[in-house]
Amino acid sequence: MTTVLVVGGGGREHALCWSLGRSARVDRIIAAPGNAGTALEPRCENLAVGAGDPAGLVDVARRESVDLVVVGPEAPLAAGVADALEAAGIPTFGPTAACARLEASKAYCKTFLESLSIPAGASATFREPEPALAYLDQLPSVPVIKAGGLAAGKGVIVAETRREAAAAIHAILVDRRFGDAGNEVVVEERLWGTEVSVLAFSDGTDFVVMPPAQDHKRIFDGDRGPNTGGMGAFVPSPVATGALIDEVGNRIIRPTLDALAAAGTPYRGVIYFGLMLTDGGPKVLEINCRLGDPETQAVLPLLESDPFEVMLACATGSLGEVSVEWSDSACTTVVVASAGYPTASAPPGPITGLDAAAHEGCIVFHAGTDLIDGVTHATGGRVLGVTALGNTLAEATDRAYTGVDTIAFEGSHHRRDIGRRAPEPSRLPPSREVSA
Ligand code: AMP
Ligand code: GLY
């Protein structure tokens, strides 16, 4: 009897449960806490233990003789869930807190990258508004303003003017818009180019890069509006060529993993590099210590190898002994969000059309859902990730949108351009240098 415990309750964790449910080696999956979608997966059950309760998770893992714990979100990893599980001798897919700090502290990440001469935007970190504003004044161009801690993908403000940048510094350090995640602010050189996410499985020594995913961070079509956790993703990204992946592997991933191993903190799990492909080569925007969401929803359906074997190999340092094979197909995920996302939440409301979307050939991953009186309800935020495979990106995307069009709930909204336009490089407009 092989049991896997999946920690978290979003779209990424539903995709993990779905994927692990297809493993020939997995008999039982426990999602903690899971969502309405994980509860319906075969061999999967939800358990009301929070992702932020390390002692509770260790108890469950022991009591249920769990063979592997897969931790989805960043916050429990940063809080040391993997450390607690590993101390209890339970194989864990997900890095320790020392490694997760690369995501949890942007200031630490910047120092780490600098120490290894890994290319990234120039930056400075501040805890007080006055020196941050003085630094802003002397910069030649408008920088990006980042809350230093974990802010659910919303803590980065890509300011267009100095006034906006100054307001963002104020909102983070003075108004405390992101709470303690805003104890520090990172003021970072704005980079221009095409963005791509490169994710890799790692067992601490070896790594295997996944097919590159294209995320869509902004809320509106055409990459407009505020940043979100991600409104959709597709795989493969046309910008990430084999040569680029080799370069990223050699110049970015390899030195990062070697440095962590040399520090006695080998990285086990998925390491995620958010990159800007600039005229001067790929530069790191961020490192995440986990699978991306929604990227996972578009990547895992393409994994042809046994997901349990791959994740267990990462947890136990034997990735070199398993083969990791991917389908050549394309996959698109369109996120359907509730009214007000990403700034406000909406009251729960029933969802219709889920079965019809499945009939169209879509896999509907749940994120912000709950079963209320036996009916699946949207409970706010990113609610669903409607996912479809196809022989081509166009086929996958059309199928995903056919599914999206069958689904309805009060106030739902989604982007219409996921997978439908090639990622465009951002180019420095001449007026940018002089904007007020
Ligand atoms: P992060 O969470 O650091 O990846 O930032 C979220 C998003 O903000 C990224 O996906 C980019 O779209 C944007 N961003 C972050 N840093 C920069 C930068 N230095 N230059 C331009 N855009 C950035
Ligand atoms: N989709 C972006 C992230 O997971 O960080």
Side-chain angles (χ1 to χ4, degrees):
M1 172 88 169
T2 300
T3 303
V4 183
L5 172 62
V6 174
V7 177
R12 165 183 45 217
E13 289 75 31
H14 187 183
L16 283 163
C17 291
W18 174 89
S19 181
L20 287 160
R22 306 173 93 73
S23 162
R25 295 201 35 203
V26 175
D27 301 295
R28 183 179 176 218
I29 302 165
I30 303 169
N35 59 38
T38 58
L40 296 174
E41 288 296 331
R43 286 178 282 160
C44 187
E45 68 212 72
N46 288 353
L47 199 69
V49 178
D53 175 7
L57 291 167
V58 170
D59 279 352
V60 173
R62 284 206 174 114
R63 191 175 67 232
E64 306 293 340
S65 306
V66 164
D67 298 279
L68 174 69
V69 181
V70 176
V71 185
E74 60 277 15
L77 291 165
V81 160
D83 305 66
L85 289 160
E86 279 178 17
I90 300 155
T92 303
F93 179 79
T96 55
C99 293
R101 206 172 153 218
L102 287 171
E103 176 167 0
S105 166
K106 289 196 190 290
Y108 168 71
C109 182
K110 299 298 294 187
T111 311
F112 177 90
L113 292 170
E114 212 172 305
S115 72
L116 298 175
S117 303
I118 293 177
S123 74
T125 302
F126 302 92
R127 298 182 75 91
E128 302 294 335
E130 294 80 11
L133 294 168
Y135 177 76
L136 170 65
D137 272 346
Q138 65 174 49
L139 289 176
S141 57
V142 179
V144 175
I145 309 299
K146 303 183 171 187
L150 295 177
K154 297 167 203 158
V156 173
I157 295 116
V158 183
E160 298 300 336
T161 63
R162 269 173 216 283
R163 197 170 297 129
E164 251 178 79
I169 290 171
H170 202 273
I172 293 170
L173 288 179
V174 181
D175 300 342
R176 317 279 302 166
R177 188 195 290 171
F178 303 106
D180 284 350
N183 287 343
E184 291 181 324
V185 75
V186 175
V187 180
E188 184 176 298
E189 172 194 4
R190 182 159 180 182
L191 300 174
W192 302 85
T194 305
E195 250 188 277
V196 67
S197 313
V198 176
L199 289 81
F201 288 114
S202 167
D203 69 353
T205 310
D206 290 316
F207 69 92
V208 175
V209 175
M210 302 183 187
Q214 196 78 43
D215 190 11
H216 296 70
K217 290 248 168 70
R218 305 294 190 99
I219 186 76
F220 299 127
D221 285 11
D223 293 332
R224 290 175 300 108
N227 270 330
T228 69
M231 293 301 290
F234 64 85
V235 184
S237 162
V239 295
T241 60
L244 175 82
I245 297 298
D246 286 348
E247 184 185 358
V248 170
N250 293 331
R251 288 183 56 199
I252 297 176
I253 305 180
R254 177 45 64 209
T256 297
L257 296 178
D258 286 352
L260 292 169
T265 54
Y267 194 106
R268 299 196 187 95
V270 167
I271 188 158
Y272 167 140
F273 293 86
L275 304 172
M276 187 71 91
L277 308 181
T278 71
D279 289 344
K283 296 192 178 181
V284 176
L285 296 175
E286 63 168 343
I287 299 180
N288 293 327
C289 62
R290 39 137 189 117
L291 282 154
D293 197 5
E295 293 95 317
T296 307
Q297 303 178 49
V299 172
L300 285 182
L302 297 171
L303 178 62
E304 287 187 337
S305 302
D306 188 301
F308 173 76
E309 280 177 10
V310 175
M311 292 178 204
L312 185 66
C314 290
T316 55
S318 54
L319 189 54
E321 290 159 32
V322 300
S323 78
V324 184
E325 304 293 337
W326 302 94
S327 155
D328 288 334
S329 305
C331 191
T332 302
T333 297
V334 179
V335 168
V336 185
S338 70
Y341 180 76
T343 43
S345 61
I351 306 175
T352 58
L354 292 169
D355 290 341
H359 279 299
E360 296 293 346
C362 295
I363 314 163
V364 183
F365 292 123
H366 292 223
T369 66
D370 205 358
L371 269 185
I372 300 175
D373 298 330
V375 176
T376 304
H377 279 61
T379 54
R382 293 184 291 174
V383 175
L384 301 167
V386 183
T387 298
L389 290 156
N391 291 322
T392 61
L393 179 59
E395 196 180 301
T397 300
D398 287 347
R399 186 168 293 142
Y401 275 108
T402 305
V404 167
D405 290 339
T406 69
I407 292 172
F409 58 89
E410 179 75 28
S412 77
H413 62 105
H414 59 272
R415 280 180 61 160
R416 296 248 35 128
D417 62 348
I418 308 300
R420 285 188 163 153
R421 41 195 281 280
E424 283 167 25
S426 55
R427 289 274 170 238
L428 179 62
S431 61
R432 187 71 76 235
E433 296 293 341
V434 294
S435 53

